[in-house]
Amino acid sequence: MSIAGKINDLKTSLPPHVKVVAVSKFHPVSDIREAYDAGQRLFGENKVQELVAKYQQLPEDIQWHFIGTLQTNKVKYIAPFIHTIQSIDSLRLLKEVDRQAAKCNRRIRVLLEVHIAEETSKHGFSVDECMRLFSENQLDEYPNVIISGLMGMATFTEDTKQVEHEFQLLRQLFDAIGQTGKAGDSFNELSMGMSDDFQLAVRNGSTMIRVGTKIFGERRMVEK
Ligand SMILES: *Cc1c(COP(=O)(O)O)cnc(C)c1O
């Protein structure tokens, strides 16, 4: 099936409030254009250099989401145009995003990445750390970012019970933060779910899924 067909199928299968970030990493600009022509506007990338190159070749109204490990020294390259940085995993990184946003005279939307998986390879704040960021007002020092919600990745496992448990944990944290009254009106995105587990994520309260393979097929290198 075509990329357009896959996007349309995916979107009709979802409740209308769930946003789809099409994860286009390792896929060429021509594929992104095809998705764009099918109406897709949110795209996710995880490498700064690749993202900047694609940004320069594609329409201005794309909302680019950064979803990978972000080194502080590279924030400046994406700060002028990035829509949302989903992978804020330390206050050090948040501080640099805040600083670069100020330089660009804009506010940048961010999601805090929470470590819910078993694997230690995944990044993010622990559930307790994340809760404390709000309860102790630690985020008030960053006026140039908009704290828009949370992002998490479940363990890579066939055990759906475990994956579901991890999604529930993240949803509970998201709700608990909302109940502190310290998160603000913009705190409304819960980014969880990928190609293999988005249905489970949506059933457990995801508002935004990040889907690559299911839209674009297996990842390949971008043609130079
Ligand atoms: C690559 C990636 C995805 C998309 O994965 P698929 O399994 O191809 O849908 C989602 N989220 C993050 C953080 C990723 O790095």
Side-chain angles (χ1 to χ4, degrees), residues 6 9-15 17-20 154 160 163-165 167-168 190-211 214:
K6 287 186 212 158
D9 276 9
L10 176 62
K11 287 196 172 152
T12 48
S13 78
L14 295 169
H17 69 277
V18 177
K19 296 181 181 134
V20 176
T160 51
V163 172
E164 181 158 45
H165 173 73
F167 286 152
Q168 285 169 352
L190 181 56
S191 172
M192 60 184 197
M194 309 177 19
S195 288
D196 287 338
D197 57 18
F198 70 87
Q199 283 134 329
L200 200 54
V202 168
R203 281 203 293 278
N204 287 284
S206 171
T207 68
M208 181 181 273
I209 60 174
R210 309 176 308 271
V211 177
K214 199 136 174 123

Side-chain angles (χ1 to χ4, degrees), residues 2 11 16 22 24 43 49 64 66-67 95 103 105 123 139 144 150 154 165 174-175 198 202 211 214 220 224:
S2 67
K11 287 196 172 152
S24 48
F43 290 91
Q49 208 181 352
W64 292 102
F66 195 83
I67 61 169
K95 185 173 179 182
K103 275 195 180 177
N105 232 329
H123 294 253
L139 300 170
N144 307 297
L150 304 179
H165 173 73
F174 179 72
D175 291 341
F198 70 87
V202 168
V211 177
K214 199 136 174 123
R220 48 211 164 99
K224 286 279 152 63

Side-chain angles (χ1 to χ4, degrees), residues 23 25 67 151 153 194-195 210-213 219:
V23 177
K25 63 189 187 194
I67 61 169
M151 185 271 259
M153 254 187 286
M194 309 177 19
S195 288
R210 309 176 308 271
V211 177
T213 314
R219 283 183 268 284

